[in-house]
Amino acid sequence: LDWRIASRAALGSTREMSKVVCRTVCGSIELNITLTPKFLAKPLKDALINPFLGAYNKKTPGEPLTADALSRVEIDGKVVSIDALTSELLTVEKPRVVLFAGGAA
């Protein structure tokens, strides 16, 4: 009986993180982006950064911003690698992801 309770608890915690809503910010553009398990299994660059930058570039005139042009990316104040697996970086339900364009402090 104890292993069943433990298994249910483990399944429940997996289900809770089956999607993550990221508050993603770059400059004055701020969007909520929901990532499903399909995206959580990808590198952060492919799962979140590139889709966000697609929307960002539509709303921002001038030279399009690319993932390679970012000076850094922070999740809840911690600098992260955009090549890391998204599920390993996003461990809370509503993280705040901030993208810094090249030259931004």
Side-chain angles (χ1 to χ4, degrees):
L1 186 59
D2 289 342
W3 67 269
R4 287 183 189 158
I5 294 169
S7 294
R8 284 189 192 131
L11 287 174
S13 64
T14 302
R15 224 176 274 126
E16 287 173 28
M17 293 303 289
S18 65
K19 71 175 183 177
V20 177
V21 179
C22 301
R23 189 72 181 154
T24 310
V25 182
C26 185
S28 63
I29 307 296
E30 194 163 335
L31 300 171
N32 279 329
I33 298 178
T34 301
L35 300 178
T36 60
K38 173 184 171 183
F39 290 95
L40 293 172
K42 296 181 178 187
L44 187 66
K45 180 179 180 178
D46 299 327
L48 178 68
I49 306 297
N50 286 334
F52 174 84
L53 290 176
Y56 175 89
N57 288 328
K58 287 179 184 174
K59 296 180 179 207
T60 308
E63 187 73 25
L65 183 59
T66 64
D68 294 333
L70 296 172
S71 61
R72 75 178 189 275
V73 175
E74 294 181 2
I75 298 176
D76 292 332
K78 180 181 174 189
V79 176
V80 298
S81 167
I82 63 173
D83 295 316
L85 196 60
T86 302
S87 61
E88 294 176 2
L89 297 173
L90 302 178
T91 57
V92 297
E93 287 183 35
K94 295 181 180 177
R96 180 175 171 82
V97 181
V98 182
L99 312 182
F100 294 87

